Amino acid sequence: MIKGIFFDLDDTLYDSSSFVDIARREAIKSMIDAGLKTTEEEAYKILQKIIKDKGSNYGRHFDDLVKAVMGYYDPKIICMGIITYHNVKFALLRPYPDTIKTLIELKKMGLKLGVITDGITIKQWEKLIRLGIHPFFDVVVTSEEYGLGKPHLEFFEYGLKRMGLKAEEVVYVGDRVDRDIEPARELGMVTIRILKGKYKGMEGDSDYTVTKLPEIVSILKSLIK
Amino acid sequence: MIKGIFFDLDDTLYDSSSFVDIARREAIKSMIDAGLKTTEEEAYKILQKIIKDKGSNYGRHFDDLVKAVMGYYDPKIICMGIITYHNVKFALLRPYPDTIKTLIELKKMGLKLGVITDGITIKQWEKLIRLGIHPFFDVVVTSEEYGLGKPHLEFFEYGLKRMGLKAEEVVYVGDRVDRDIEPARELGMVTIRILKGKYKGMEGDSDYTVTKLPEIVSILKSLIK
């Protein structure tokens, strides 16, 4: 009997990939305006490499970019980048058009809702709050809070424990085969893959595949009855 | 011959004390809405004590407040506080009514302008940028960047070196007798104290005293001719 549903956050409940890219490009433009001596394309390439090497949750991408280009840390240029990045990010941050409707439908079915997400606790909560969807969730767990991230099975088990349900009582919805769907399947959750974001072309199996969030409502209805 | 002028930032170029207090009180209200089990007044007292014990640049005031009240770190409540604090702060952040006019007058006199400020580099730059006054300043130095803060004389000397001027060629404008005026005087700068913010009642001597920023323009004119 399905009693709960866990979601991944980024690219599953809102469009993360495209707004982050826009915010990074606008940040680079304002850093160049503030004196960063390079071209937009060159700065973008360097930034991509820094993000790849240090991970997306490393806190000093723009510091390293300025150091790489200028040979020293220029606080004005770094700060210009950070402020522009945040301004653009917050301006563009919004749920998928059907996210809230879908969450309401799932709540009406009496399901417990949760989020299992990699990332820094305060940043992931900030997204949920600014998206306006945090009141829907009974449980939110982050990799920083637990100490281990996806695809570690213990992290998903921690989420289950916090929700008070067994794996077979839970549906998991996420965009990444390798970090979301495979570990959730291995534990025995019912998995729904959403084809969104930059990993939508990745090969792999899931119990269900959807292209839009509202499609999961009918899947859940069929699983419950 | 006076060639430059250094300013303190908080409470000298904009009203820091009152907006920080409003932002903290609004943050507490939203934390209580999010489940913090205490009263506004009690939470405010605990927060004041944390700020006094850990300093205003400690990064985890709200974490400690939630821990003190609840016995554990609740990320939703902490994040609600942080987001409300920042939203209110940025909404209220603006220069004193005459700050920009005054800076324009000083620029017209051919003076170099600088900021010597205690605090975290990125936070102080963020204030300058959001206040819209950063393009006026030739030099900005922060205690974090230098490694030592006010009232250490070396920190003020670092600012002078960065501006390329001697102490006797520079006027210093600040609100605090103990951390701004006394060290600047000791080095031989001309000092102007501005009676703003929570330290305006403090006893002490300065070369000049003003109640509003535009008053420094005529002082500078008399010093230069």
Side-chain angles (χ1 to χ4, degrees), chain A residues 99-180:
Chain A
T99 295
I100 292 175
K101 273 187 200 167
T102 304
L103 297 175
I104 292 170
E105 287 304 312
L106 297 172
K107 275 293 189 195
K108 281 164 62 184
M109 293 161 72
L111 293 164
K112 284 192 186 176
L113 304 192
V115 170
I116 296 181
T117 174
D118 274 356
I120 296 162
T121 305
I122 199 79
K123 291 205 170 180
Q124 300 309 90
W125 267 104
E126 179 170 24
K127 289 174 196 168
L128 287 169
I129 292 168
R130 289 195 189 267
L131 286 165
I133 58 177
H134 63 287
F136 286 101
F137 297 101
D138 305 285
V139 174
V140 176
V141 297
T142 72
S143 59
E144 188 199 39
E145 167 191 340
Y146 181 63
L148 265 183
K150 301 174 184 177
H152 287 279
L153 299 186
E154 303 97 297
F155 180 40
F156 291 80
E157 287 171 323
Y158 171 66
L160 287 169
K161 195 181 154 199
R162 286 277 307 276
M163 197 182 259
L165 295 177
K166 293 176 200 137
E168 57 271 26
E169 295 173 319
V170 167
V171 170
Y172 187 92
V173 185
D175 66 308
R176 287 189 66 163
V177 170
D178 53 343
R179 299 177 77 87
D180 290 312

Side-chain angles (χ1 to χ4, degrees), chain A residues 75-76 78-80 82-83 87 121-122 125-126 129-130 134, chain B residues 75-76 78-80 82-83 87 121-122 125-126 129-130 134:
Chain A
K76 179 163 99 178
I78 295 166
C79 196
M80 274 294 190
I82 294 172
I83 291 174
N87 283 349
T121 305
I122 199 79
W125 267 104
E126 179 170 24
I129 292 168
R130 289 195 189 267
H134 63 287
Chain B
K76 178 162 100 176
I78 294 166
C79 197
M80 274 294 191
I82 294 172
I83 292 175
N87 283 348
T121 304
I122 198 79
W125 267 104
E126 179 170 23
I129 292 169
R130 290 194 188 267
H134 63 288

Side-chain angles (χ1 to χ4, degrees), chain B residues 12-206:
Chain B
T12 295
L13 293 170
Y14 77 103
D15 182 357
S16 170
S17 296
S18 64
F19 93 64
V20 166
D21 198 61
I22 294 166
R24 283 180 186 148
R25 286 187 178 275
E26 289 304 316
I28 285 170
K29 284 184 207 166
S30 82
M31 291 166 91
I32 290 171
D33 290 346
L36 187 71
K37 297 209 182 320
T38 183
T39 63
E40 263 181 63
E41 277 318 302
E42 186 58 28
Y44 190 75
K45 269 187 216 161
I46 297 169
L47 185 62
Q48 291 285 69
K49 188 174 179 332
I50 293 165
I51 293 161
K52 200 179 161 212
D53 291 349
K54 302 284 181 85
S56 64
N57 286 320
Y58 171 67
R60 302 177 70 87
H61 295 135
F62 292 149
D63 301 60
D64 286 9
L65 170 61
V66 170
K67 182 80 190 291
V69 172
M70 307 291 281
Y72 60 92
Y73 296 104
D74 183 310
K76 178 162 100 176
I77 300 175
I78 294 166
C79 197
M80 274 294 191
I82 294 172
I83 292 175
T84 301
Y85 179 81
H86 285 292
N87 283 348
V88 173
K89 196 179 82 168
F90 293 145
L92 298 181
L93 191 66
R94 58 181 181 272
Y96 288 129
D98 295 317
T99 295
I100 292 175
K101 273 187 198 166
T102 304
L103 296 175
I104 291 170
E105 287 304 313
L106 298 172
K107 275 294 190 193
K108 281 165 64 183
M109 293 162 72
L111 293 164
K112 285 193 185 175
L113 304 192
V115 170
I116 297 181
T117 174
D118 274 355
I120 296 162
T121 304
I122 198 79
K123 291 206 170 180
Q124 300 309 89
W125 267 104
E126 179 170 23
K127 289 174 197 168
L128 287 169
I129 292 169
R130 290 194 188 267
L131 287 165
I133 58 176
H134 63 288
F136 286 101
F137 297 101
D138 305 285
V139 175
V140 175
V141 298
T142 73
S143 60
E144 188 198 40
E145 168 191 341
Y146 180 63
L148 265 183
K150 302 173 183 176
H152 288 279
L153 299 187
E154 305 96 297
F155 181 40
F156 291 79
E157 286 171 325
Y158 171 68
L160 288 168
K161 195 180 154 199
R162 285 277 308 277
M163 198 181 259
L165 295 178
K166 293 177 200 136
E168 57 270 27
E169 295 172 322
V170 167
V171 170
Y172 187 92
V173 184
D175 66 308
R176 286 188 66 162
V177 169
D178 53 344
R179 300 177 77 87
D180 290 313
I181 301 304
E182 285 176 0
R185 276 197 112 177
E186 198 171 329
L187 284 173
M189 300 182 193
V190 175
T191 55
I192 302 178
R193 179 177 173 191
I194 182 162
L195 299 174
K196 293 277 191 188
K198 56 188 169 182
Y199 298 101
K200 69 181 169 193
M202 199 180 268
E203 294 266 324
D205 291 329
S206 57

